[in-house]
Amino acid sequence: MADPPLVLQISNEDRDYGEDNAFVRGFTELAREGVLRHVGVLPAAEPGRLAHLSSHLRPDLVLVHTPQPLPWTAHEVAPLLRNLGSPPLVVWEGDAWGGRGKPLRERNVAWMRSAEAVFSVAHGPQAELLRKASGRPVHYVPNTVPLAFAAPEAQPVRPEGVALLGARMTYCGIELIRDDRERTELVRRLAATVPGFSVYGKRWRGPYARGPVPYFEQQAAMRRALVTVGWNRYRGYPGFFSDRLPIAMASGRVHVSSRHPDLDWLPGPDDGLHLLDSPAEAADCVRALLTEDPRLLLDRAARMRRWVLDHLTETHALRHMLAPFLPAAPPAGPWTGFAAPRPLTGARAPEGPR
């Protein structure tokens, strides 16, 4: 019997967190089901290291995270793929780009230009930006909760107050990234009117500022609060939210954040998620929630947590991105409404036993 297809994952993370690197636990789940085999390049690799791998590795598919932190160019990507046996390449773009604060760079698109498909966590202007830069088709895949954040609370605490997680990116007091000014306004409104308010992230000042939180500790900070708050950037990008939204949804706390276009498929207030159009509305919503019975808030948040673990994990995202290229069933639920590439025709078929 032939082995399952081999997928090479090339990460953009600069540290090796083992199974907690992005998608690694999801790949492990799919490998356990016999859908695929997985080899990961962690942390992000320079061209020389991957050239050594390509001398003996023949993957059936390559999944690349962008942006690569290393200065890749098309002159390095193309020969590398040839040395790997010219497998199909899928690129996952897990961030939003555009404007003066985050211009798209060559290292972002070097891999995309060789891809069978590019998956982006926003469509609309973001997808058009990537399509024009790469010349490749761009498909939507929402940010999902990493399985590292799927565990229940080890030691439940009595939650109190309100917590907002998110950095403030400024230069000479001016916000650099689109919609950070709204995030700043929301923090000021909550700090002035909500007792027990805390904000976690870089460049906040004041008695409510708690400083940055390491990535894998952010859910613990959320769980200390009764209500969590966020405010996403790039609010004009349909479908966009950072992975902090699904992480918050999985934390078991009611969450308040910004409304973006094309997010009607997410849970609503009855299940603990409140998406608002302005910082003033969000601050009003937080204050109203704090007048409710905490047990009712936690019940709603528990329903939201069950929903996100059933529908919006990194394993769901992998199934969505890989199903057109491998014998993997695509995910159900809201994913059926997200367009994906057609199955490949004429691509190199998976080889026999190795």
Side-chain angles (χ1 to χ4, degrees):
M1 181 181 292
D3 291 333
L6 178 64
V7 178
L8 171 63
Q9 175 195 9
I10 302 176
S11 173
N12 65 354
E13 294 170 283
D14 57 7
R15 293 179 61 187
D16 186 356
Y17 297 104
E19 66 177 358
D20 287 338
N21 281 90
F23 294 120
V24 171
R25 289 181 187 239
F27 271 119
T28 300
E29 284 193 359
L30 295 179
R32 191 180 299 119
E33 295 174 15
V35 172
L36 51 78
R37 291 171 298 140
H38 169 243
V39 174
V41 178
L42 305 164
E46 60 186 5
R49 182 179 168 206
L50 282 181
H52 173 71
L53 270 179
S54 68
S55 66
H56 62 275
L57 196 64
R58 289 296 179 270
D60 299 296
L61 183 76
V62 177
L63 173 69
V64 171
H65 306 200
T66 62
Q68 285 283 312
L70 301 165
W72 284 87
T73 68
H75 297 293
E76 294 161 330
V77 170
L80 171 67
L81 292 173
R82 286 196 299 269
N83 290 339
L84 287 169
S86 300
L89 170 66
V90 173
V91 173
W92 172 71
E93 176 50 81
D95 208 347
W97 296 89
R100 290 179 296 177
K102 290 182 65 177
L104 199 62
R105 296 164 295 183
E106 171 62 24
R107 71 185 66 178
N108 298 69
V109 297
W111 289 96
M112 296 180 192
R113 294 190 180 115
S114 296
E116 291 286 342
V118 176
F119 286 90
S120 163
V121 293
H123 45 97
Q126 161 95 347
E128 185 65 10
L129 176 70
L130 301 185
R131 187 193 65 76
K132 285 183 177 180
S134 67
R136 311 305 296 162
V138 179
H139 305 272
Y140 177 61
V141 56
N143 263 312
T144 56
V145 62
L147 292 179
F149 297 100
E153 290 183 77
Q155 296 179 328
V157 299
R158 181 181 178 181
E160 296 179 328
V162 176
L164 184 149
L165 276 72
R168 184 183 182 219
M169 302 297 291
T170 62
Y171 179 75
C172 295
I174 300 174
E175 283 78 7
L176 297 177
I177 298 180
R178 195 173 300 176
D179 302 309
D180 261 10
R181 185 171 300 175
E182 290 187 347
R183 182 181 292 180
T184 299
E185 180 186 346
L186 177 56
V187 166
R188 288 172 177 164
R189 286 177 178 270
L190 293 174
T193 60
V194 175
F197 171 66
S198 298
V199 59
Y200 298 86
K202 296 179 180 178
R203 296 184 176 87
W204 297 109
R205 299 289 184 268
Y208 48 84
R210 303 290 179 257
V213 176
Y215 182 77
F216 291 108
E217 296 177 20
Q218 61 182 312
Q219 197 174 62
M222 294 175 181
R223 284 172 167 166
R224 290 193 290 269
L226 179 62
V227 176
T228 61
V229 185
W231 200 260
N232 278 291
R233 296 157 171 162
Y234 294 93
R235 291 192 55 217
Y237 284 15
F240 176 67
F241 49 82
S242 77
D243 65 348
R244 189 170 291 122
L245 177 65
I247 290 171
M249 294 171 69
S251 71
R253 301 295 182 266
V254 168
H255 189 65
V256 177
S257 190
S258 50
R259 190 195 314 276
H260 294 231
D262 295 350
L263 292 183
D264 293 341
W265 52 272
L266 287 173
D270 289 343
D271 294 313
L273 182 61
H274 300 258
L275 301 181
L276 286 308
D277 293 315
S278 71
E281 292 177 348
D284 289 343
C285 178
V286 170
R287 290 191 293 270
L289 289 170
L290 292 176
T291 67
E292 297 191 39
D293 186 337
R295 292 171 298 181
L296 296 178
L297 299 182
L298 293 174
D299 286 345
R300 293 175 206 157
R303 291 197 296 272
M304 179 168 62
R305 171 178 162 78
R306 286 194 295 271
W307 186 94
V308 78
L309 296 183
D310 286 343
H311 298 292
L312 201 61
T313 72
E314 60 186 16
T315 310
H316 294 93
L318 283 177
R319 286 188 181 278
H320 180 71
M321 292 188 288
L322 302 183
F325 309 98
L326 299 178
W335 297 88
T336 59
F338 307 151
R342 294 181 178 180
L344 283 179
T345 57
R348 180 168 66 80
E351 299 176 9
R354 293 183 178 87

